[in-house]
Amino acid sequence: MARANAAYYARRDPFADFITAPEISQIFGELLGAWCAVTGRGLLKGNAGGDLLLAEAGPGRGTLMVDMLRVLSRVAPDLFARLSVHLIENSPRLREVQKASLKRFGVPVTWHETLASIPRGPMVLVANEFLDALPIRQFVGAETGAGWREHFVRDGAFVLSDAVVSPPELAGRVPEPGEIAEICPAACGFVQDVSRRLCDAPGAALFVDYGTATTASGDTLQALRDGQPVSPLVEPGTADLTAHVDFEAAAGAAMATGVRCFGPVEQGALLIALGAVERARALCAAAPDQANTIRTALDRLIGPERMGRLFRALALLSPARLAPDLVAPPGFPDGTPYGEKP
Ligand code: SAH
């Protein structure tokens, strides 16, 4: 799956196949830009001359970063002047698209294959629909209930391993025969790598994705081509492959490092807390002929039957000794660290 998705992002325009929050409305990126302004300010307090790294993982067309930079340049020009942008993107084609979108801001932009090459320093990182694009592994509870068989692709077809295994990620889970369990070592590994950095230098991170607050059973691997569900095995590289993010597993990987972890909160709740309704109202007032479109887009982002509930956000902050001025990330209820669902 890893190679199939890399081939996909390198060849196709993913946005012909699905639409993401920043592509639905500028409100999404503007509010995340405000989130970055508040956390960035908090991180740099007491470090008046310092620079801020603004990082994004999986920036797609660059739309989220464009909307965030526009807001930052307006509401936090002092911070904007000290920014360098770092994009983690492995598709050469999308890198070109991002370059064209960001040119007009005149801020330094560097592309990275992985987090590792982003320079050390105070950092705010965002990632929207990045973790869901990373490859999962699937397991099926063995008939005896004593372990798992891996469900994987061999010679173009799904097969079950002969061997019964007990991957460490599933330790403590008693398999029901036939139960499907998914793990995403790449997503948990990425969240953990970000967390380790935040334990080493001041920083904040925001992950938004669709998935469950607690680990769930079931097959969530999905392939979309031209907006239609297709078999994940259709010509590899021609469909977008995603799986639900297990936020419990991601938070567990983060907390093992000592980082402060908040959420997950539902996307609707986060955006409303950040001012989505007020922002939509202001946009409608400025462009009354667009009001219906703006309201429909807002409903898509926050509506409980739309993206509002299925999508969730997890936030990470450096330990208090590195970021003493940040008590909780904006939009995450104070004192609601991971484990207590608001
Ligand atoms: N955040 C964007 C795009 C989401 S699509 C939006 O909200 O619109 C997923 C993005 O992650 C694409 O830019 C894709 O090229 C990138 N990506 C997927 N797997 C990656 C990997 N392993 N390393 C770096 N980038 C990756």
Coordinates of all heavy atoms in Angstrom, one line a residue, residues 82-120:
R82 N 9.0 36.4 10.8 CA 10.1 35.5 11.4 C 9.8 34.1 11.0 O 10.5 33.2 11.6 CB 10.1 35.7 12.9 CG 10.5 37.1 13.3 CD 9.8 37.5 14.6 NE 10.2 36.8 15.7 CZ 9.6 36.9 16.9 NH1 8.6 37.7 17.1 NH2 10.0 36.2 17.9
L83 N 9.0 33.8 10.0 CA 8.6 32.5 9.7 C 9.5 31.9 8.6 O 9.8 32.5 7.7 CB 7.2 32.4 9.1 CG 6.0 32.5 10.0 CD1 4.7 32.4 9.1 CD2 6.0 31.4 11.0
S84 N 9.8 30.6 8.8 CA 10.2 29.8 7.6 C 9.2 28.6 7.5 O 8.8 28.1 8.5 CB 11.6 29.3 7.7 OG 11.8 28.5 8.9
V85 N 8.9 28.3 6.3 CA 7.9 27.2 6.0 C 8.6 25.9 5.6 O 9.5 26.0 4.8 CB 6.9 27.7 4.9 CG1 6.0 26.5 4.5 CG2 6.0 28.8 5.4
H86 N 8.2 24.8 6.2 CA 8.8 23.5 6.0 C 7.7 22.5 5.6 O 6.8 22.3 6.4 CB 9.6 23.1 7.2 CG 10.7 24.0 7.5 ND1 11.9 23.8 7.0 CD2 10.7 25.2 8.2 CE1 12.7 24.8 7.4 NE2 12.0 25.6 8.1
L87 N 7.8 22.0 4.4 CA 6.7 21.1 3.9 C 7.2 19.7 3.8 O 8.3 19.5 3.1 CB 6.2 21.6 2.6 CG 5.6 23.0 2.5 CD1 5.2 23.4 1.1 CD2 4.5 23.2 3.5
I88 N 6.6 18.7 4.4 CA 6.9 17.3 4.3 C 6.0 16.8 3.2 O 4.8 16.7 3.3 CB 6.7 16.6 5.6 CG1 7.5 17.2 6.7 CG2 7.0 15.1 5.4 CD1 7.2 16.7 8.1
E89 N 6.6 16.5 2.1 CA 5.8 16.1 0.9 C 6.7 15.2 0.0 O 7.8 15.6 -0.3 CB 5.4 17.3 0.1 CG 4.7 17.0 -1.3 CD 3.5 16.2 -1.1 OE1 2.5 16.7 -0.5 OE2 3.5 15.0 -1.4
N90 N 6.2 14.0 -0.3 CA 7.1 13.1 -1.1 C 6.7 13.0 -2.6 O 7.3 12.3 -3.3 CB 7.2 11.7 -0.5 CG 5.9 11.0 -0.4 OD1 4.9 11.5 -0.9 ND2 5.9 9.8 0.1
S91 N 5.6 13.8 -3.0 CA 5.2 13.8 -4.4 C 5.9 14.9 -5.1 O 5.6 16.1 -4.8 CB 3.7 13.8 -4.5 OG 3.4 14.4 -5.7
P92 N 6.8 14.6 -6.1 CA 7.4 15.7 -6.8 C 6.4 16.6 -7.5 O 6.5 17.8 -7.6 CB 8.3 15.0 -7.8 CG 8.4 13.6 -7.3 CD 7.2 13.3 -6.5
R93 N 5.3 16.0 -8.0 CA 4.3 16.8 -8.7 C 3.6 17.7 -7.8 O 3.4 18.9 -8.1 CB 3.3 15.8 -9.4 CG 2.6 16.3 -10.6 CD 1.6 15.3 -11.2 NE 0.7 15.0 -10.1 CZ -0.3 15.7 -9.7 NH1 -0.5 16.9 -10.2 NH2 -1.1 15.3 -8.7
L94 N 3.2 17.3 -6.6 CA 2.5 18.2 -5.7 C 3.5 19.2 -5.1 O 3.1 20.3 -4.8 CB 1.9 17.4 -4.5 CG 0.6 16.6 -4.9 CD1 0.1 15.7 -3.8 CD2 -0.5 17.6 -5.4
R95 N 4.8 18.9 -5.0 CA 5.7 19.9 -4.6 C 5.7 21.1 -5.6 O 5.8 22.3 -5.2 CB 7.2 19.4 -4.6 CG 7.4 18.5 -3.4 CD 8.9 18.1 -3.3 NE 9.2 17.2 -2.2 CZ 10.4 17.0 -1.7 NH1 11.4 17.5 -2.3 NH2 10.5 16.2 -0.6
E96 N 5.6 20.8 -6.9 CA 5.5 21.9 -7.9 C 4.3 22.8 -7.7 O 4.3 24.0 -7.7 CB 5.6 21.4 -9.3 CG 6.9 20.8 -9.7 CD 8.1 21.8 -9.5 OE1 7.9 23.0 -9.9 OE2 9.1 21.4 -8.9
V97 N 3.2 22.1 -7.4 CA 1.9 22.8 -7.2 C 2.0 23.7 -6.0 O 1.6 24.9 -6.0 CB 0.7 21.8 -7.0 CG1 -0.6 22.5 -6.7 CG2 0.6 20.9 -8.3
Q98 N 2.6 23.1 -4.9 CA 2.7 23.9 -3.6 C 3.6 25.1 -3.9 O 3.4 26.2 -3.4 CB 3.3 23.0 -2.5 CG 2.4 21.9 -2.1 CD 3.0 20.6 -1.6 OE1 4.2 20.6 -1.3 NE2 2.3 19.5 -1.5
K99 N 4.7 24.9 -4.6 CA 5.7 26.0 -4.9 C 4.9 27.2 -5.6 O 5.1 28.3 -5.2 CB 6.8 25.5 -5.8 CG 8.0 26.3 -5.9 CD 9.0 25.5 -6.7 CE 10.3 26.2 -6.9 NZ 11.2 25.3 -7.6
A100 N 4.1 26.8 -6.6 CA 3.4 27.9 -7.3 C 2.4 28.6 -6.4 O 2.3 29.8 -6.4 CB 2.7 27.3 -8.5
S101 N 1.7 27.8 -5.5 CA 0.7 28.4 -4.6 C 1.4 29.4 -3.6 O 0.7 30.4 -3.2 CB -0.1 27.4 -3.8 OG -0.4 26.3 -4.6
L102 N 2.6 29.1 -3.1 CA 3.1 29.8 -2.0 C 4.1 30.9 -2.4 O 4.5 31.8 -1.6 CB 3.9 28.8 -1.1 CG 3.0 27.8 -0.4 CD1 3.9 26.8 0.4 CD2 2.0 28.4 0.5
K103 N 4.4 31.0 -3.7 CA 5.4 32.0 -4.2 C 5.1 33.4 -3.8 O 5.9 34.1 -3.4 CB 5.4 31.9 -5.8 CG 6.8 32.2 -6.3 CD 6.9 31.8 -7.8 CE 6.0 32.7 -8.7 NZ 5.8 32.1 -10.0
R104 N 3.8 33.7 -3.9 CA 3.4 35.2 -3.7 C 3.7 35.7 -2.3 O 3.7 36.9 -2.0 CB 2.0 35.4 -4.0 CG 1.0 34.7 -3.1 CD -0.4 34.9 -3.7 NE -1.3 33.9 -3.4 CZ -2.3 34.0 -2.5 NH1 -2.5 35.1 -1.8 NH2 -3.2 33.0 -2.3
F105 N 3.9 34.8 -1.3 CA 4.1 35.2 0.1 C 5.5 35.7 0.3 O 5.8 36.4 1.3 CB 3.7 34.1 1.1 CG 2.2 33.9 1.1 CD1 1.7 32.8 0.5 CD2 1.4 34.8 1.8 CE1 0.3 32.6 0.5 CE2 0.0 34.5 1.9 CZ -0.5 33.5 1.2
G106 N 6.4 35.2 -0.5 CA 7.8 35.7 -0.3 C 8.5 35.1 1.0 O 9.5 35.7 1.4
V107 N 7.9 34.0 1.5 CA 8.5 33.5 2.7 C 9.4 32.3 2.3 O 9.1 31.6 1.3 CB 7.5 33.0 3.8 CG1 6.8 34.1 4.4 CG2 6.6 32.0 3.2
P108 N 10.5 32.0 3.0 CA 11.4 30.9 2.6 C 10.6 29.6 2.8 O 10.0 29.3 3.9 CB 12.6 31.0 3.6 CG 12.2 31.9 4.7 CD 11.0 32.8 4.2
V109 N 10.6 28.7 1.8 CA 9.9 27.4 1.9 C 10.9 26.3 1.5 O 11.7 26.4 0.6 CB 8.8 27.3 0.8 CG1 8.0 26.0 1.0 CG2 7.8 28.5 1.0
T110 N 11.0 25.3 2.4 CA 11.9 24.2 2.1 C 11.0 22.9 2.1 O 10.1 22.8 3.0 CB 12.9 24.1 3.3 OG1 13.5 25.4 3.5 CG2 14.1 23.1 2.9
W111 N 11.3 22.0 1.2 CA 10.6 20.7 1.2 C 11.5 19.6 1.8 O 12.7 19.6 1.7 CB 10.3 20.4 -0.3 CG 9.1 21.1 -0.8 CD1 7.8 20.7 -0.8 CD2 9.1 22.4 -1.3 NE1 7.0 21.7 -1.3 CE2 7.7 22.7 -1.6 CE3 10.0 23.4 -1.6 CZ2 7.3 24.0 -2.2 CZ3 9.6 24.6 -2.1 CH2 8.3 24.9 -2.4
H112 N 10.8 18.7 2.4 CA 11.4 17.6 3.1 C 10.8 16.3 2.8 O 9.5 16.2 2.7 CB 11.3 17.8 4.7 CG 11.9 19.1 5.1 ND1 13.2 19.3 5.5 CD2 11.4 20.4 5.2 CE1 13.4 20.6 5.9 NE2 12.3 21.2 5.6
E113 N 11.6 15.2 2.7 CA 11.0 13.9 2.6 C 10.4 13.4 3.9 O 9.4 12.7 3.9 CB 12.1 12.9 2.2 CG 12.5 12.9 0.7 CD 11.4 12.4 -0.2 OE1 10.7 11.4 0.1 OE2 11.1 13.1 -1.2
T114 N 11.1 13.8 5.0 CA 10.6 13.3 6.3 C 10.8 14.5 7.3 O 11.4 15.5 7.0 CB 11.4 12.1 6.8 OG1 12.7 12.5 7.1 CG2 11.4 10.9 5.9
L115 N 10.3 14.3 8.5 CA 10.4 15.2 9.6 C 11.9 15.5 9.9 O 12.3 16.6 10.3 CB 9.7 14.7 10.8 CG 9.6 15.5 12.0 CD1 8.6 16.7 11.9 CD2 9.2 14.7 13.2
A116 N 12.7 14.4 9.7 CA 14.1 14.4 10.3 C 14.9 15.6 9.8 O 15.8 16.1 10.5 CB 14.8 13.1 10.0
S117 N 14.7 16.1 8.5 CA 15.6 17.1 8.0 C 15.1 18.5 8.3 O 15.7 19.5 8.0 CB 15.7 17.0 6.5 OG 14.5 16.9 5.9
I118 N 14.0 18.7 9.0 CA 13.5 20.0 9.4 C 14.5 20.5 10.5 O 14.7 19.8 11.5 CB 12.1 20.0 9.9 CG1 11.1 19.6 8.8 CG2 11.6 21.4 10.5 CD1 9.7 19.6 9.1
P119 N 15.0 21.7 10.4 CA 16.0 22.2 11.4 C 15.4 22.3 12.8 O 14.2 22.4 13.0 CB 16.4 23.6 10.9 CG 15.6 23.9 9.7 CD 14.8 22.7 9.3
R120 N 16.3 22.2 13.8 CA 15.8 22.3 15.2 C 15.4 23.7 15.5 O 16.0 24.6 15.0 CB 17.0 21.9 16.1 CG 16.7 21.6 17.5 CD 17.8 20.9 18.2 NE 17.4 20.6 19.6 CZ 17.5 21.5 20.6 NH1 17.9 22.8 20.3 NH2 17.1 21.2 21.8

